[in-house]
Every structure is written in C-alpha cells, then in structure tokens.
Amino acid sequence: MEIKLGANQYGKAETRLVRVDRGDGQHSITDLNVSTSLAGDLAATHLTGDNSGVLPTDTQKNTVYAFARDGVGEPEEFGLRLARHFVDGTPTITRARVHLEMYRWERLTVGWPEDPRPAHHSFARAAGTRTATVTYDGTSAWVVSGVEDVTLLNTTGSEFHGFHRDRYTTLAETNDRILATAVSARWRHVGTDSNWAESFRGAHMHLLEAFADTHSRSLQQTLHAMGERVLRRRDELVEVRLSLPNKHHFLVDLGPFELDNPGEVFFAADRPYGLIEGTVLRDDAPEPGLAWW
C-alpha cells in the first residue's frame, strides 16, 4: 500500500490589524482581522521536514502589518496586494487566499442638542461585519465580498403554511409571524477592478431593501429575493451565497394569568433554529474557478 500526501495548505489565522489615519480635520479607522492561506510545492516539509520552501506564518503576519504602513484602503484591494505578494515573491507558493473581516466603526455625533457635530476622533462599533476573500494563483485572481451577522426583523408580512406533514409534525401553520434572521451573505465579483466601496454599499443596501420589501411565505423565498435583488442591481456581481438562520419568536401564552396576547408578547428562542442556505446566480455567470477555494 502506498501512502501519498493529499491537498494541503497553511497560513496565519486572524491577524488583528487596526490602522488609524490621522487627517488634519478628523481621524478614520480601518479595523481588520486578516487570515492568510498558502499552497504550492510543499511536499518536502510534510515528508522530510525540509522547510526551505516554507514562508513562515510569522512572516505572513509581519507582511500584513508592513503593508498597512502604506495604507490599507478597501479590504478587497488590500487582500489583492497581499495575495499577489505571497505568490509572486515565494517560488514554492502557487496559490494564496486572503480572507479579511472588516469591523465597521461609525463616527460619534456630539454636542446634542444645541450644537450637534461629528466627533473627530470618537467612534462606535457598527452592526455587521464586512468580509472579503481574495484568491490568486499567479495568473488569475478572484474576489468574493460579503457581510456577516446583520440582524434583521420584520414584525409582520411573513407567513408559513401549506408545508408537508408527517407523524412527527406539530408546527402550527401561520398567516402572520415575526421573521428574524442574522444574514451572512457573500457575493462573487466578475473581475478585480470594481469600485469596492460603492459595490459593497450597493449590495448591502439591496439585501436590506429586499428583506423589507418581500412579503415572505418562506425564508427560502426571502433568501432568493435578496440574492436576486443584488444581482439585478449590481452588474459587477454574478453570484450570491446566503445563510439565513431563522431566529424564532414564539407567542407567549398569557392565558394562565387571565390576559390576552394580541400578537404583542413573544419569547425569542436562540436554539434550536432553522438554517436556510442557498445560492443565487446569473445564468451567464462565468465559472467560479478558485473563487470559493
């Protein structure tokens, strides 16, 4: 029997980077969590412990900080710089993936109510985490952007009925329910020269609008509507992948207290929860290549 080395990769996970740009009038923050992953001709280190072809993970971490000295810009742009550097500068490395999580900060407003004005150096953490994943193989690059943990809720306009039943089904049908979820969405770009900031703002806005606009008969229907809205409004995007946990809200029975409950008092359950996942893509979308590697 022959034992062979299979697919492998290595890198530095979760390098935390905060850059403060100190402009004359006000400061701005870029707050990132950067994970790098490299693959290539790495058989020697696995089979014999020969590390001559291994770029240390500590070096990968240092590179993140050194590149940030020249500015970070949009996470997709920063990821492209890093991925190209690792592949083009290391003979044994043929593929790099850089995954970035960007924690968003909003500038505080001070002086309420007499003299409201933006604080030049004070911020509050914004909801949701922006993401970007860049993959580069020495010739081509792929970019996937996204957002995680965007909690959304509709207090009405959601139904769920007509579903299949078997002997274990106890769920009651409903024509009106709270629909809540924490959106994780990723979208694939058709190229590598997008206006990254504008593309993110647009895709994020269309996800939220579709959630609000859709009269939902299932969370699956809402998922498709969100992905479709993004693809119809953003020409630079060709595929959207979404993960939507169903954050259940159950009407509390107040009968034991001789009280009615006209759809006003709910128990917000955290588990178990339904998990709805799906992909929406254009019919002319190019092959993904290494986009989802």
Side-chain angles (χ1 to χ4, degrees):
M1 179 177 63
E2 182 180 1
I3 304 298
K4 299 188 295 184
L5 176 66
N8 62 88
Q9 60 195 47
Y10 79 106
K12 198 68 162 183
E14 301 195 31
T15 298
R16 290 289 285 114
L17 163 67
V18 175
R19 178 184 164 97
V20 179
D21 288 289
R22 302 179 184 277
D24 293 337
Q26 60 186 15
H27 297 171
S28 61
I29 294 177
T30 303
D31 186 353
L32 296 176
N33 193 29
V34 183
S35 295
T36 57
S37 183
L38 309 181
D41 182 9
L42 298 169
T45 189
H46 287 88
L47 301 180
T48 69
D50 177 357
N51 296 320
S52 58
V54 175
L55 183 71
T57 65
D58 190 67
T59 303
Q60 297 172 43
K61 174 205 69 179
N62 293 342
T63 305
V64 170
Y65 293 128
F67 274 35
R69 178 61 183 88
D70 296 329
V72 174
E74 299 301 319
E76 294 86 354
E77 176 187 1
F78 193 57
L80 284 165
R81 288 175 59 201
L82 289 167
R84 287 167 173 156
H85 168 80
F86 291 133
V87 174
D88 295 342
T90 312
T92 54
I93 299 304
T94 59
R95 188 164 68 238
R97 182 186 66 222
V98 181
H99 178 69
L100 306 99
E101 298 171 339
M102 183 176 187
Y103 308 113
R104 301 185 298 153
W105 293 86
E106 295 176 343
R107 193 176 308 280
L108 294 181
T109 300
V110 298
W112 287 97
E114 294 84 3
D115 181 28
R117 61 192 183 279
H120 83 284
H121 63 267
S122 299
F123 303 84
R125 178 85 168 263
T129 301
R130 179 177 172 181
T131 65
T133 304
V134 174
T135 307
Y136 176 64
D137 69 355
T139 302
S140 300
W142 297 263
V143 179
V144 174
S145 302
V147 68
E148 294 180 349
D149 297 325
V150 177
T151 302
L152 303 177
L153 184 148
N154 285 333
T155 55
T156 190
S158 174
E159 310 174 18
F160 191 60
H161 51 79
F163 44 83
H164 175 75
R165 289 183 174 273
D166 67 10
R167 60 183 294 189
Y168 303 113
T169 303
T170 60
L171 183 68
E173 297 189 348
T174 179
N175 293 308
D176 190 26
R177 65 173 180 171
I178 288 178
L179 181 66
T181 187
V183 177
S184 291
R186 303 177 71 193
W187 46 88
R188 174 163 60 101
H189 293 261
V190 75
T192 59
D193 58 353
S194 294
N195 181 330
W196 305 115
E198 172 57 31
S199 181
F200 175 80
R201 283 193 296 268
H204 185 256
M205 176 186 69
H206 295 315
L207 287 172
L208 302 187
E209 289 181 346
F211 181 85
D213 290 345
T214 302
H215 184 95
S216 178
R217 292 174 174 83
S218 67
L219 190 50
Q220 288 89 336
Q221 178 197 10
T222 300
L223 179 150
H224 188 272
M226 294 169 74
E228 181 179 14
R229 177 79 65 98
V230 170
L231 295 180
R232 290 195 181 278
R233 304 293 176 86
R234 302 302 310 183
D235 292 339
E236 75 278 11
L237 306 179
V238 296
E239 181 180 359
V240 182
R241 297 187 177 188
L242 297 112
S243 178
L244 305 181
N246 194 345
K247 302 176 78 67
H248 301 296
H249 288 66
F250 298 109
L251 197 68
V252 176
D253 179 11
L254 299 180
F257 319 120
E258 298 183 354
L259 298 171
D260 66 352
N261 188 1
E264 295 179 346
V265 180
F266 294 85
F267 165 62
D270 64 345
R271 65 197 64 184
Y273 55 87
L275 182 59
I276 313 303
E277 298 178 301
T279 300
V280 184
L281 69 164
R282 288 174 17 187
D283 60 4
D284 61 349
E287 290 299 314
L290 297 175
W292 304 106
W293 171 59

